[in-house]
Amino acid sequence: MKALIVDDSRFVREYLRQLLERMGLNCQEAADGREALAMLGGEQRFDYMFLDVNMPGVGGIECLRTLREQRLDPPMKVMMVTTEADNSFISTALDCGADEYLMKPFTADSLRDKLRIIGLAALGF
């Protein structure tokens, strides 16, 4: 299973990558939504995207909208990973097609719980 981690913080990308790779996912990283969309426009396919909301340039919500307009088959699971706790951000993300929402800071256990919710329970998560 392949995952794309999109966050403007190198620290967050590395931390999330370490956790996900220990859980058996193959990960790649993008520093913003523009870079992520460029990666998705090529031959690469990902099963999961972990997407920050607040990034310079193309932010997480704009990236998510563009991704969902592409109607990938099969659709990629998208988890928003952000400090935004306001209900309006959460509602907007879910309305735009996010599958789940994980608040920073997070632990390996909270990440694992969210992964179960979006369908990785069958893989032993």
Side-chain angles (χ1 to χ4, degrees):
M1 306 226 99
K2 290 180 67 177
L4 178 58
I5 301 164
V6 186
D7 199 301
D8 58 328
S9 166
R10 184 179 333 142
F11 174 80
V12 172
R13 289 194 314 266
E14 289 176 4
Y15 176 66
L16 191 51
R17 181 183 196 126
Q18 288 176 5
L19 293 175
L20 293 169
E21 286 182 344
R22 277 191 229 135
M23 295 176 190
L25 283 109
N26 179 356
C27 298
Q28 292 193 26
E29 300 175 17
D32 59 37
R34 184 176 332 255
E35 186 179 347
L37 291 170
M39 292 173 76
L40 295 170
E43 296 295 315
Q44 297 185 73
R45 295 291 172 247
F46 297 92
D47 303 293
Y48 299 92
M49 179 187 281
F50 298 86
L51 182 61
D52 187 17
V53 171
N54 295 315
M55 296 180 287
V58 177
I61 297 297
E62 184 180 350
C63 180
L64 178 60
R65 284 185 177 127
T66 302
L67 171 68
R68 291 308 189 212
E69 288 171 0
Q70 293 176 354
R71 301 195 186 283
L72 299 176
D73 187 32
M76 183 186 329
K77 298 282 188 176
V78 177
M79 183 183 304
M80 304 306 288
V81 183
T82 184
T83 58
E84 291 293 345
D86 187 271
N87 283 338
S88 67
F89 280 101
I90 296 169
S91 294
T92 298
L94 296 174
D95 289 345
C96 289
D99 296 289
E100 193 51 71
Y101 205 92
L102 179 64
M103 297 300 301
K104 296 177 189 175
F106 56 88
T107 64
D109 288 337
S110 62
L111 174 62
R112 190 173 286 111
D113 289 343
K114 295 292 185 171
L115 289 171
R116 284 186 189 111
I117 291 169
I118 63 172
L120 283 175
L123 299 176
F125 283 84

